[in-house]
């Protein structure tokens, strides 16, 4: 009887330790996930604030020197999208295929948020029958996050 009480206490302590360890690991992973998510959204803000300085000015007859500066950063830039009353204000890229910019920013660096890009089969001068744009729909009004589904 004494042995069974000892065994039950030991088993209870072991289960308590395992549950406590699991909760600590879950809390640590949750903290990491929140931090990582904040990094992804922060990267979008950083890139957008840098690129807004190079936003083309349609008032200029030649399209603006800033568009050429943007093309020096990445020759795949083919336009700029701005939607009134939203935070959608980004350059448009077109890669060799539709996977090029799904997880790549304008600078060519890996970014989970990716970029807004034109379908690889569309005319990069926007003279075709249609122009299909892709981009992630993200929370906090990032990329196409202001569009309602």
């Amino acid at each position: 009887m004494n042995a069974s009480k000892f065994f039950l206490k030991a088993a209870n302590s072991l289960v308590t330790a395992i549950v406590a360890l699991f909760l600590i690991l879950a809390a640590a992973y949750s903290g990491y996930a929140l931090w990582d998510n904040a990094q992804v959204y922060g990267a979008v803000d950083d890139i957008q604030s840098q690129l807004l300085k190079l936003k083309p000015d349609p008032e200029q007859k030649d399209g603006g020197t800033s568009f050429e500066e943007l093309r020096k950063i990445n020759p795949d830039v083919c336009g700029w999208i701005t939607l009134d009353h939203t935070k959608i204000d980004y350059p448009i890229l077109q890669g060799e295929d539709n996977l090029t910019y799904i997880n790549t920013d304008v600078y060519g660096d890996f970014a989970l948020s990716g970029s807004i890009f034109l379908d690889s089969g569309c005319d990069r001068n926007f003279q075709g029958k249609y122009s299909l744009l892709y981009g992630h729909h993200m929370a906090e009004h990032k990329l196409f996050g202001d569009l309602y589904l």
Side-chain angles (χ1 to χ4, degrees):
M1 211 153 40
N2 231 355
S4 66
K5 282 186 182 182
F6 176 76
F7 176 73
L8 286 177
K9 279 187 173 185
N12 188 29
S13 297
L14 181 63
V15 168
T16 301
I18 290 172
V19 168
L21 180 63
F22 174 77
L23 290 174
I24 289 169
L25 290 174
Y29 178 76
S30 297
Y32 168 75
L34 289 171
W35 173 82
D36 187 51
N37 206 21
Q39 297 300 312
V40 170
Y41 287 110
V44 174
D45 285 337
D46 291 344
I47 290 171
Q48 186 182 23
S49 65
Q50 293 169 10
L51 294 175
L52 282 174
K53 297 173 187 170
L54 301 173
K55 182 179 176 179
D57 185 4
E59 304 275 324
Q60 294 180 355
K61 293 179 185 177
D62 63 351
T65 56
S66 61
F67 192 72
E68 290 307 316
E69 290 176 31
L70 191 58
R71 297 231 14 182
K72 286 178 187 174
I73 293 172
N74 188 334
D76 287 343
V77 173
C78 59
W80 192 281
I81 183 169
T82 301
L83 295 179
D84 294 337
H85 311 294
T86 69
K87 292 187 178 183
I88 299 172
D89 203 9
Y90 298 96
I92 300 171
L93 298 113
Q94 186 179 39
E96 292 182 19
D97 59 39
N98 288 337
L99 296 177
T100 303
Y101 289 104
I102 198 150
N103 286 330
T104 305
D105 65 19
V106 173
Y107 299 104
D109 298 326
F110 176 78
L112 283 175
S113 59
S115 298
I116 293 179
F117 59 95
L118 180 66
D119 187 279
S120 62
C122 293
D123 179 26
R124 73 180 291 114
N125 296 319
F126 297 92
Q127 300 298 315
K129 291 181 180 180
Y130 68 91
S131 298
L132 181 61
L133 297 179
Y134 296 103
H136 293 292
H137 183 271
M138 299 176 68
E140 299 180 18
H141 308 282
K142 309 294 187 236
L143 294 176
F144 283 146
D146 276 343
L147 300 178
Y148 297 103
L149 301 175

